[in-house]
Amino acid sequence: MASNIQSLLVLVLATLATFMIPSNAQLSPDFYKKVCPQALPVIRSVVHRAIIREGRIGASLLRLHFHDCFVNGCDGSVLLDDTRNFTGEKTALPNLNSIRGFDVVDEIKAAVDKACKRPVVSCADILATAARDSVAILGGPQLWYPVLLGRRDARTASRDAANTNLPPPFFSFSQLLSNFNSHGLDLRDLVALSGGHTIGFARCTTFRDRIYNDTNVNPTFAASLRKQCPRVGGDNNLATLDPTPASVDTSYYRELLCKKGLLHSDQELYKGDGGESDRLVELYSRNPFAFAKDFKASLIKMGNMKPLTGNKGEIRGNCRKLQYFLVLALATLVTIPSHAQLTPDFYDNVCPQALPIIKSVVQRAIFRERRMGASLLRLHFHDCFVNGCDGSVLLDDTPNINGEKTALPNMGSIRGLEVVDEIKAAVDKACKRPVVSCADILAIAARDSVSILGGPLYWYKVLLGRRDATTASKDAANSNLPPPFFRFSQLLSNFQSHGLDLKDLVALSGAHTIGFAQCSTFRNRIYNDTNIDPNFASSLQGTCPRSGGDSNLAALDRVSPSRVDPSYYTALLNKKGLLHSDQELFKGDGSASDTLVKLYSKNPFACARDFKASMIKMGSMKPLTGNVGEIRINCRTMAFHLQYFIVFAMATLVTIPSHAHLTHDFYDKVCPQALPIIKSVVQRAIFRERRMGASLLRLHFHDCFVNGCDGSVLFDDTPNFTGEKTALPNMGSIRGFEVVDEIKAAVDKACKRPVVSCADILAIAARDSVSILGGPLYWYKVLLGRRDARTASKDVVNSNLPPPFFSFSQLLSNFQSHGLDLKDLVALSGAHTIGFAECSSFRNRIYNDTNIDPNFASALRGTCPRTGGDNNLAALDHVTPIRVDTSYYTALLSKKGLLHSDQELFKGDGSESDTLVKLYSMNPFAFARDFKASMIKMGNMKPLIGNAGEIRVNCRRVN
């Protein structure tokens, strides 16, 4: 108790310290530069993570800032909970079921106060900064602007003021303008700030009257919305405010021109009468730069509405409560309870940061590889079904036990153990000791995976307090886990033996909405079952032949394999369950199981409700609690074995091998963390700017095609040589050097010395870019061990890199000179599925080529005039310029290749190149396979190995 009081005293003292913060009477962009320079980066980091978890949260944070400023100014009052003295704004009519994201604000506040060592950043400033960061993350750097800071937090809130001051969605244009004018905003602010509706969703209640009664609405658009929003019922059903609800762009305004504004108040901005509002809508619809400029200016102007500054207001310690409540907290005594049963608040006092940390690690793991969510969910299932939820599935074999990992149902099936290790390390570090069991980590990680991939509908409170088993049983795993060939009666019997019922069986089987299964588990079904759609079976037989390919994967739910939704059940209705055991749930005989499958297929709320209930029920299967079991230090090893392994490890000497050839495990011993660090930096860079993935991929190409893959492309000029950066094919084309610098610094810091070459960094970053932008289908093992060149050559670049005007024969000859063949040429050209090219590289094609679609050429001439605009950019793949897929090849079939050299691959003459283009356009698996093989082959072009070259300290300079 003494320690609790001491902690609270420290908190109160920290609060008093806020009075020593410099007092400014006006807002300034550098308000926190001296008192807490890390504040803004911390806020951006949390917002960034939140948007990764749920793309919709960016719109929610922007809306919070709007709804805060329009009620008595930008003072954080919207965040306050009700008190005895006032009713807060959260329950006002415009806010009810509309504003959200409070948990993210709490997360930001905790992170910032921790970084600043005390409450120094106001909640009002957090809202303003988070709104800006949301816009910039979802819209790109052109939407970034310096936020004016120095607001303080209100000590009261007003539901009545919120009801009066926030413009409702049924307002007419004159009412909207009058409302904005009352806040000191003008017509331009009204039209620009309404562009905040370029992201996010609205509820049926806000647009029902429009789609049934408005005349200024596109009839087809209205009809399409009536399915989501019936005349009665479905009030909370959501529709997107514009066609790109997770991207800040100008499509909102284009929709208004077509009478497709979702809200009545949206469409009021454009009536087609030539008014000033019309002219602004038309301007923003065609000029994203004008919109960005005005939107940012109006946001800054709105953010300056009646802020509290100087000594007015306060700096809250908790954004939901007034600061004086901290003093009252001194009277509260907190004790740590002892539990012999599971409870959702088990760790609240002993380690309150445990659950947020677990979610953070799970989130990062899923962002690295979407499939990981299904793997973590499966680990929890396979743990609980064998002697209860006790973490036994994680144990390695010992001299005394055969663990469960090598049991038949687990072999080649369970994975994600390294993520559990990462979670355990992070949680124990935060909690200062091993306090969270591995069994609880599995339960929480399963819940977090489901809610990250399925959204808040699938979030539930996990019951906690499990302890870890001190043994495991391979035999029990073999007998207790239901195999994929079980009949319905066997499945039900198995579930009932675990205390689960029919509803649990059907609901929990819905976990197969995500993840993959091996060919060996569904081969018999696709060749022998009769209760299967013939076309579905036939399509899978290419992936899973009658013999061989046992480990080939297919999605359990091929419609949305990385999203938790009811499409798994819809597939069953159509006889498209992947596993025999899946399809056994629906036979079309009107059974109770059939009824549940039908219900879940059409009602996602019922599906989510029952799935969560069954997950909680399963998680309570025979847990170890109280003093039974242990809390492991290492989830793979029993705690009492740890000392033995430490002693054993001291006798082990690790030597660094010397390689004279490339190998994918080159850094496994000398710096095992190197590759994860590179991926992490690449991932951040791509999230900052999606185009960066293409830039990093291009760097690797332009490096390898000039004297081999040796990092020479990265050199700055020196007195001894002119580097490759200023060569004609590289000028204005290659970029991303600062990301390579960032990777190099991070890797060398982690490895304690320069051990990873710049050439290898380029090869790994290219692979990571492709797999991040294209998904796990494009991941491959990079061969490593290259060393860095000590020189570079501008002349060699000019002669070795194929220019965009090359004919097919010239392209093939160039590739063959590098040891590559026709298939490599066509496959590697698929790298143009991402990125952009300058006007100078395609001008001749769009004005003079005949092998080009006329409309495509005409559309590009606006971007690329006959003279001038040499640096204007166009997407190499105009359909999906930031996603690795096969649309590049589809475009070639339609004569829509951007570069002359692109279109040379397909002339329609039935050549081998034509055949490959057609194959890749319709078969993404064939493209991914050949692209990866060619990338590995290219990466092996004349590398420096052994003692040749050097390992640079700075990628831009010779050591």
Side-chain angles (χ1 to χ4, degrees):
M1 286 192 292
S3 64
N4 290 323
I5 293 172
Q6 202 169 33
S7 298
L8 287 164
L9 282 168
V10 171
L11 187 57
V12 172
L13 287 170
T15 302
L16 294 174
T18 63
F19 290 105
M20 295 185 286
I21 298 168
S23 175
N24 293 343
Q26 59 183 7
L27 305 185
S28 160
D30 56 2
F31 188 86
Y32 298 109
K33 275 191 176 174
K34 291 185 178 179
V35 292
C36 188
Q38 63 271 51
L40 271 65
V42 168
I43 294 173
R44 183 183 173 97
S45 173
V46 178
V47 171
H48 186 214
R49 290 198 306 269
I51 289 175
I52 292 172
R53 289 196 300 264
E54 184 195 2
R56 182 185 167 198
I57 208 65
S60 302
L61 293 172
L62 179 60
R63 186 176 294 179
L64 272 178
H65 183 44
F66 270 73
H67 284 225
D68 183 44
C69 293
F70 268 62
V71 181
N72 295 328
C74 309
D75 59 4
S77 61
V78 72
L79 303 171
L80 287 171
D81 290 338
D82 294 348
T83 73
R84 294 176 183 175
N85 301 318
F86 62 79
T87 302
E89 298 164 19
K90 293 178 180 177
T91 55
L93 192 59
N95 288 334
L96 206 60
N97 295 315
S98 171
I99 55 172
R100 55 195 294 276
F102 300 105
D103 50 334
V104 177
V105 176
D106 294 340
E107 188 181 349
I108 294 171
K109 181 64 175 166
V112 167
D113 285 358
K114 181 179 179 181
C116 302
K117 312 297 185 188
R118 64 197 190 281
V120 66
V121 180
S122 69
C123 302
D125 274 350
I126 285 173
L127 289 182
T129 309
R132 185 275 313 276
D133 290 341
S134 296
V135 167
I137 289 167
L138 294 174
Q142 73 270 21
L143 273 306
W144 190 92
Y145 57 93
V147 182
L148 296 177
L149 301 165
R151 300 167 190 79
R152 289 171 65 85
D153 297 320
R155 291 196 175 101
T156 190
S158 171
R159 184 168 72 175
D160 291 339
N163 282 326
T164 305
N165 288 356
L166 287 166
F170 52 78
F171 258 19
S172 66
F173 176 77
S174 60
Q175 290 172 307
L176 288 168
L177 185 58
S178 174
N179 179 283
F180 270 63
N181 289 158
S182 72
H183 293 295
L185 303 172
D186 59 23
L187 173 62
R188 186 177 295 263
D189 299 317
L190 165 61
V191 181
L193 290 174
S194 295
H197 285 179
T198 180
I199 51 176
F201 296 77
R203 293 187 306 137
C204 166
T205 53
T206 63
F207 61 87
R208 177 183 282 122
D209 187 66
R210 170 157 169 73
I211 63 174
Y212 287 100
N213 300 318
D214 274 13
T215 55
N216 190 23
V217 64
N218 179 290
T220 305
F221 175 68
S224 68
L225 286 165
R226 289 169 189 156
K227 298 173 185 175
Q228 295 165 253
C229 185
R231 286 188 183 274
V232 292
D235 286 359
N236 294 322
N237 292 355
L238 296 176
T240 59
L241 285 158
D242 95 344
T244 55
S247 174
V248 176
D249 55 27
T250 58
S251 58
Y252 164 80
Y253 296 102
R254 289 194 294 273
E255 292 296 286
L256 299 186
L257 299 181
C258 302
K259 300 184 180 180
K260 293 182 181 180
L262 182 66
L263 305 180
H264 176 86
S265 53
D266 287 329
Q267 196 60 54
E268 284 290 291
L269 302 182
Y270 187 81
K271 297 181 178 178
D273 57 9
E276 188 179 350
S277 177
D278 275 16
R279 288 194 291 274
L280 285 169
V281 169
E282 289 170 355
L283 171 66
Y284 296 155
S285 73
R286 67 175 184 262
N287 191 332
F289 299 101
F291 164 62
K293 180 190 72 183
D294 291 352
F295 183 68
K296 294 186 290 185
S298 294
L299 269 169
I300 292 169
K301 188 174 176 182
M302 181 187 78
N304 212 14
M305 280 161 52
K306 296 191 288 183
L308 301 174
T309 58
N311 293 319
K312 295 177 183 175
E314 64 184 10
I315 306 296
R316 289 183 213 141
N318 178 336
C319 289
R320 300 176 186 245
K321 298 179 176 67
L322 302 185
Q323 191 66 2
Y324 63 77
F325 282 114
L326 286 171
V327 179
L328 296 179
L330 281 166
T332 305
L333 302 178
V334 181
T335 59
I336 300 172
S338 173
H339 297 280
Q341 59 182 5
L342 304 185
T343 165
D345 58 0
F346 188 86
Y347 298 108
D348 282 7
N349 291 329
V350 292
C351 189
Q353 63 271 49
L355 271 67
I357 286 172
I358 294 173
K359 182 165 186 175
S360 173
V361 178
V362 171
Q363 187 171 282
R364 289 199 304 271
I366 290 175
F367 193 79
R368 291 195 298 263
E369 181 194 6
R370 298 285 286 182
R371 181 185 167 198
M372 187 52 69
S375 301
L376 294 171
L377 180 58
R378 186 175 295 178
L379 272 178
H380 184 43
F381 270 71
H382 284 226
D383 183 42
C384 293
F385 267 64
V386 181
N387 295 328
C389 308
D390 59 4
S392 60
V393 72
L394 303 171
L395 286 172
D396 290 337
D397 293 349
T398 74
N400 301 317
I401 59 167
N402 286 326
E404 298 164 19
K405 294 176 183 176
T406 55
L408 191 60
N410 289 334
M411 283 282 284
S413 173
I414 58 169
R415 56 196 295 276
L417 305 168
E418 70 288 345
V419 177
V420 177
D421 294 339
E422 187 183 351
I423 293 170
K424 181 65 174 165
V427 167
D428 285 358
K429 181 179 179 181
C431 301
K432 311 298 185 187
R433 64 197 189 283
V435 67
V436 181
S437 69
C438 302
D440 274 350
I441 286 174
L442 289 182
I444 300 164
R447 186 275 312 276
D448 289 342
S449 296
V450 169
S451 63
I452 289 167
L453 294 174
L457 185 65
Y458 288 89
W459 191 91
Y460 57 92
K461 287 186 176 180
V462 182
L463 296 177
L464 301 167
R466 300 166 190 82
R467 290 170 63 85
D468 297 320
T470 53
T471 189
S473 172
K474 179 177 177 178
D475 291 338
N478 281 325
S479 59
N480 285 4
L481 287 165
F485 52 78
F486 259 18
R487 301 187 308 275
F488 177 77
S489 59
Q490 292 173 303
L491 289 168
L492 184 56
S493 174
N494 179 283
F495 270 62
Q496 288 173 337
S497 71
H498 294 294
L500 303 172
D501 58 24
L502 172 63
K503 182 178 284 189
D504 299 317
L505 166 60
V506 181
L508 290 173
S509 295
H512 284 179
T513 180
I514 51 175
F516 295 78
Q518 294 186 354
C519 164
S520 59
T521 64
F522 60 86
R523 177 183 284 119
N524 188 65
R525 169 155 169 75
I526 63 174
Y527 287 101
N528 300 318
D529 274 14
T530 55
N531 191 22
I532 188 169
D533 179 274
N535 293 328
F536 175 68
S538 176
S539 68
L540 287 164
Q541 287 162 6
T543 304
C544 184
R546 285 188 182 274
S547 59
D550 285 0
S551 299
N552 293 355
L553 297 176
L556 285 157
D557 168 3
R558 69 190 320 183
V559 176
S560 53
S562 60
R563 189 171 70 243
V564 176
D565 59 22
S567 58
Y568 163 80
Y569 297 102
T570 306
L572 299 186
L573 299 182
N574 297 313
K575 299 184 180 181
K576 293 182 181 180
L578 183 67
L579 305 180
H580 177 85
S581 54
D582 287 329
Q583 195 60 56
E584 284 288 290
L585 302 182
F586 185 82
K587 297 180 178 178
D589 57 9
S591 64
S593 177
D594 275 16
T595 303
L596 285 169
V597 168
K598 287 178 180 176
L599 170 65
Y600 298 155
S601 71
K602 64 186 179 186
N603 189 332
F605 299 99
C607 175
R609 178 197 65 213
D610 291 353
F611 179 77
K612 294 186 291 185
S614 293
M615 284 291 288
I616 293 168
K617 189 174 177 182
M618 181 186 76
S620 291
M621 280 161 50
K622 297 190 289 184
L624 303 175
T625 59
N627 294 318
V628 182
E630 64 182 10
I631 305 297
R632 288 186 214 140
I633 298 169
N634 178 337
C635 288
R636 299 175 186 244
T637 311
M638 285 169 275
F640 63 78
H641 281 306
L642 188 64
Q643 283 184 323
Y644 164 77
F645 282 114
I646 291 172
V647 174
F648 179 77
M650 290 180 69
T652 305
L653 298 177
V654 180
T655 58
I656 299 171
S658 174
H659 295 279
H661 62 280
L662 303 184
T663 166
H664 61 79
D665 58 358
F666 188 86
Y667 298 109
D668 281 7
K669 291 186 177 178
V670 292
C671 189
Q673 63 272 50
L675 271 67
I677 285 171
I678 294 173
K679 182 165 185 177
S680 173
V681 178
V682 171
Q683 191 168 278
R684 291 200 303 271
I686 289 175
F687 198 82
R688 290 195 299 265
E689 182 195 3
R690 300 285 284 185
R691 182 185 166 200
M692 187 51 69
S695 301
L696 294 172
L697 179 59
R698 186 176 295 178
L699 273 178
H700 183 44
F701 271 71
H702 285 224
D703 183 43
C704 293
F705 267 64
V706 182
N707 293 329
C709 309
D710 59 4
S712 60
V713 73
L714 302 171
F715 273 134
D716 291 338
D717 294 348
T718 74
N720 300 319
F721 62 79
T722 303
E724 300 167 15
K725 293 179 180 176
T726 54
L728 190 61
N730 288 336
M731 283 283 286
S733 172
I734 57 171
R735 57 196 292 275
F737 301 105
E738 69 289 343
V739 177
V740 176
D741 294 339
E742 186 182 351
I743 293 171
K744 181 65 174 165
V747 168
D748 285 358
K749 181 179 179 181
C751 301
K752 312 297 185 189
R753 64 198 187 283
V755 68
V756 181
S757 69
C758 302
D760 274 350
I761 285 173
L762 289 182
I764 300 164
R767 186 274 313 276
D768 290 341
S769 296
V770 169
S771 64
I772 289 167
L773 294 173
L777 184 65
Y778 292 90
W779 190 91
Y780 57 92
K781 288 185 177 181
V782 182
L783 294 176
L784 301 167
R786 300 166 191 81
R787 290 171 64 84
D788 297 319
R790 291 194 175 101
T791 189
S793 172
K794 179 177 177 179
D795 292 337
V796 178
V797 178
N798 286 325
S799 59
N800 282 12
L801 283 168
F805 52 78
F806 258 18
S807 67
F808 176 77
S809 60
Q810 290 173 307
L811 288 169
L812 184 57
S813 174
N814 179 283
F815 270 63
Q816 287 173 337
S817 71
H818 294 294
L820 303 172
D821 59 23
L822 172 63
K823 183 177 283 188
D824 299 317
L825 165 60
V826 181
L828 290 173
S829 296
H832 284 178
T833 179
I834 50 176
F836 295 78
E838 292 184 323
C839 164
S840 58
S841 65
F842 61 87
R843 177 183 281 119
N844 188 65
R845 169 155 169 76
I846 63 174
Y847 287 100
N848 300 317
D849 274 13
T850 55
N851 190 21
I852 189 170
D853 179 274
N855 293 328
F856 177 67
S858 176
L860 286 164
R861 289 170 189 155
T863 305
C864 184
R866 285 187 182 273
T867 57
D870 285 0
N871 297 324
N872 293 355
L873 296 176
L876 286 158
D877 168 1
H878 71 284
V879 178
T880 55
I882 55 171
R883 189 169 72 242
V884 175
D885 56 23
T886 59
S887 60
Y888 164 79
Y889 296 102
T890 307
L892 298 186
L893 299 181
S894 306
K895 299 183 181 181
K896 294 181 181 178
L898 182 68
L899 306 180
H900 176 86
S901 54
D902 287 328
Q903 196 60 54
E904 284 290 290
L905 302 181
F906 185 83
K907 296 180 179 179
D909 56 8
S911 65
E912 189 178 351
S913 177
D914 275 16
T915 303
L916 284 169
V917 169
K918 287 178 180 176
L919 171 66
Y920 297 156
S921 71
M922 63 188 180
N923 190 332
F925 298 99
F927 168 57
R929 178 197 65 212
D930 292 351
F931 180 76
K932 294 186 290 186
S934 295
M935 284 292 289
I936 293 168
K937 189 174 175 181
M938 182 187 76
N940 213 12
M941 282 160 51
K942 297 190 289 183
L944 300 174
I945 53 176
N947 294 319
E950 65 183 10
I951 305 297
R952 285 183 219 146
V953 178
N954 181 332
C955 288
R956 299 176 185 245
R957 298 180 182 86
V958 181
N959 288 346

